[in-house]
Amino acid sequence: MLKKGTLIKGKCTSYSNEGEGVIHLNKEVIFVKGLIVGEEADILINYNRVGINYGSIKKIHKISKDRIQPKCKVATACGGCSFQSLSYPKQLEYKTNKVKDAFKYISKLDVKVNDCIGMDEPYYYRNKIQTPVKKINKKIVSGFYKVKSHNIVPIDECVIEDKRSNKIINSIKKIMADFKIEPYDEDRRYGIIRHVLIRTSLHFNEIMVVLVTNCDSFPSRNNFINIIKKENPEITTIVQNINKRDTNVILGEQERILFGKGYIVDSLCGIKFHISSKSFFQINPIQTEKLYRYIATKLDLKKSDALLDAYSGVGTIGMSLANKVKEVISVEIERSAVKDAIRNAKENNIKNIKFICDDASRYINELKELDVLVMDPPRKGSTPEFLKAVNYLQPKNIIYVSCDPNTLARDINYLKDKYIIKVVQPFDMFPMTYHIETVVHLVRR
Ligand code: SAH
């Protein structure tokens, strides 16, 4: 391992799984955030972890033509984005190549991978911001945590968050200062506001602000809320969430609606969803709609089909396909997501859908028949039990939506004897970050 404080000179030859530039130097591996393939630079070693040295850029000797000026002022320090310095077409190329590599090295398959579908405007896409507030040098700040730390990097404009949220959070910080409402200090266990959460609707003019507080009530709460409303008339509801625990979990159990209806409504592919402070909802609704529509065009659904939507979350994919099939069964392990899903189906008058709260691997083994499977497991992927059941049931069409190409490629190994891979289509759901979403369409041989 290289000692902390060592200065090295090296050339970046690839990217890590989390999007850092990788340098190989005399059997040492160095990960450098913001370094671009082809660049040669002086690197300061900051720390090591499990066999890897982590460094930061001191001076770039050879600058890549793919380097761009980051839109964000704190791009390197902040742990949120990895690719602010890399041109957007190159970000998409990186994502396509990651998927290709996963299939090549893990599934041992040389499949065609389509070019990653990106956004026309890859900034300001997040519909949810959840930021701690702190006092640094007597100033109230909000922001993200530094890479691999619990120290906040103050941000006034996050370029991947909705512009409306950026404006509101800045206004709230100012009003907090005017009202002398202290941000919560974890070490001293003192102060009132811990986090501010803002959720915006893409299709309706609705915005929810959640103030996470360390106490039930605080001085001049009504006046404080009234000023927030006055300065930000676009806010449609304000909720107080009370979290008195000494924990990293942001939201507490108890909530009180201070203004409006306590939730917002947004829609995906024409279906409306209630979104409250804790609801799961896709954070890039523009790309989510593209992805759902893509799924619908790939699956040649029939009115006689039974479709299983496994790992269904709040039921969005199943609901978006329900009018094309006989019935949809959604299976999801989180009870609160299932509850939201049931309510959403009812409100949209979707009747041919059933929601099961269960482990997908357990549930699929109970099924006798299946025409179409859509599966969207978490990052760790599916399980051998689930995939064995798929091989037994042999639905004619499968859509596998994945947020980790490596576990996707591992799982495809179980299916490749009985299924032909028709399409592999990456989607950029999270521009500027290393995250990759992939849709695979499999058809029974
Ligand atoms: N399909 C949804 C959400 C996918 S996220 C959408 O597009 O919005 C993955 C989901 O899998 C999460 O909601 C998670 O709670 C659920 N999950 C995780 N493990 C599971 C399991 N063993 N069985 C069923 N669902 C599971």
Side-chain angles (χ1 to χ4, degrees), residues 47 49 77-79 130-136 141-154 184-187 194-195 245-250:
Y47 61 96
R49 201 170 282 170
C78 175
Q130 188 165 264
T131 164
V133 278
K134 292 266 140 57
K135 206 168 202 178
I136 299 179
V141 298
S142 64
F144 286 97
Y145 292 117
K146 243 181 220 161
V147 187
K148 301 203 166 50
S149 92
H150 213 69
N151 297 329
I152 202 166
V153 183
Y184 180 66
D185 181 326
E186 290 160 332
D187 300 329
R194 300 168 73 121
H195 278 83
R245 288 168 305 171
D246 185 14
T247 161
N248 277 341
V249 180
I250 294 176

Side-chain angles (χ1 to χ4, degrees), residues 203-220:
H203 294 291
F204 300 90
N205 277 326
E206 299 195 8
I207 300 179
M208 169 168 61
V209 170
V210 182
L211 302 169
V212 185
T213 62
N214 184 46
C215 44
D216 295 314
S217 64
F218 52 91
S220 1

Side-chain angles (χ1 to χ4, degrees), residues 280 282 292 311-313 316-317 332-334 358-360 376-378:
F280 173 82
Q282 293 282 351
Y292 288 4
Y311 309 90
S312 56
T316 39
I317 300 181
E332 160 62 46
I333 207 161
E334 275 292 328
D358 202 344
D359 170 33
D376 183 5

Side-chain angles (χ1 to χ4, degrees), residues 178-395:
D178 293 346
F179 275 76
K180 301 199 166 38
I181 292 177
E182 290 287 319
Y184 180 66
D185 181 326
E186 290 160 332
D187 300 329
R188 290 159 57 220
R189 304 235 182 126
Y190 174 79
I192 294 168
I193 298 185
R194 300 168 73 121
H195 278 83
V196 178
L197 184 149
I198 302 174
R199 300 187 90 154
T200 47
S201 168
L202 176 69
H203 294 291
F204 300 90
N205 277 326
E206 299 195 8
I207 300 179
M208 169 168 61
V209 170
V210 182
L211 302 169
V212 185
T213 62
N214 184 46
C215 44
D216 295 314
S217 64
F218 52 91
S220 1
R221 189 181 69 198
N222 289 348
N223 283 343
F224 177 62
I225 297 302
N226 282 336
I227 300 290
I228 293 179
K229 276 159 62 181
K230 192 163 158 241
E231 308 255 312
N232 306 279
E234 63 278 27
I235 297 175
T236 52
T237 185
I238 303 181
V239 174
Q240 181 186 1
N241 176 287
I242 299 147
N243 186 359
K244 298 181 190 174
R245 288 168 305 171
D246 185 14
T247 161
N248 277 341
V249 180
I250 294 176
L251 294 172
E253 296 294 322
Q254 214 188 328
E255 281 195 352
R256 180 185 289 135
I257 298 171
L258 301 178
F259 162 59
K261 54 190 180 185
Y263 62 89
I264 56 167
V265 175
D266 204 350
S267 68
L268 286 172
C269 304
I271 300 164
K272 286 187 185 173
F273 294 92
H274 264 233
I275 306 162
S276 55
S277 67
K278 289 182 192 169
S279 307
F280 173 82
F281 195 68
Q282 293 282 351
I283 57 122
N284 186 338
I286 295 177
Q287 291 298 90
T288 302
E289 287 195 325
K290 272 192 207 165
L291 190 146
Y292 288 4
R293 294 215 160 94
Y294 186 83
I295 294 176
T297 61
K298 289 294 143 195
L299 289 174
D300 180 25
L301 293 171
K302 298 201 175 52
K303 278 286 180 196
S304 56
D305 283 340
L307 183 148
L308 177 68
D309 178 10
Y311 309 90
S312 56
V314 288
T316 39
I317 300 181
M319 278 187 237
S320 74
L321 299 172
N323 65 356
K324 297 184 172 64
V325 296
K326 186 176 82 198
E327 67 159 346
V328 176
I329 305 171
S330 298
V331 56
E332 160 62 46
I333 207 161
E334 275 292 328
R335 194 159 294 279
S336 63
V338 175
K339 252 172 97 179
D340 280 352
I342 292 171
R343 190 187 53 198
N344 287 327
K346 216 180 227 160
E347 286 186 6
N348 286 285
N349 207 18
I350 301 174
K351 298 212 169 86
N352 60 337
I353 191 163
K354 181 160 95 178
F355 297 97
I356 313 281
C357 186
D358 202 344
D359 170 33
S361 305
R362 210 202 61 75
Y363 181 74
I364 196 172
N365 276 286
E366 275 185 7
L367 290 180
K368 299 277 176 289
E369 267 180 340
L370 187 60
D371 300 311
V372 184
L373 168 68
V374 176
M375 55 188 290
D376 183 5
R379 314 200 79 208
K380 65 173 193 276
S382 189
T383 65
E385 299 77 60
F386 185 95
L387 298 161
K388 274 179 202 151
V390 176
N391 278 326
Y392 171 75
L393 291 165
Q394 293 195 31

Side-chain angles (χ1 to χ4, degrees), residues 2-8 30-33 43-49 52-58 76-77 147:
L2 296 164
K3 259 206 196 124
K4 186 177 161 185
T6 315
L7 203 61
I8 62 121
I30 304 125
F31 283 12
V32 186
K33 193 171 178 218
I43 304 296
L44 179 69
I45 303 301
N46 298 324
Y47 61 96
N48 341 86
R49 201 170 282 170
I52 290 164
N53 304 284
Y54 289 84
S56 52
I57 302 171
K58 277 284 133 198
T76 337
V147 187

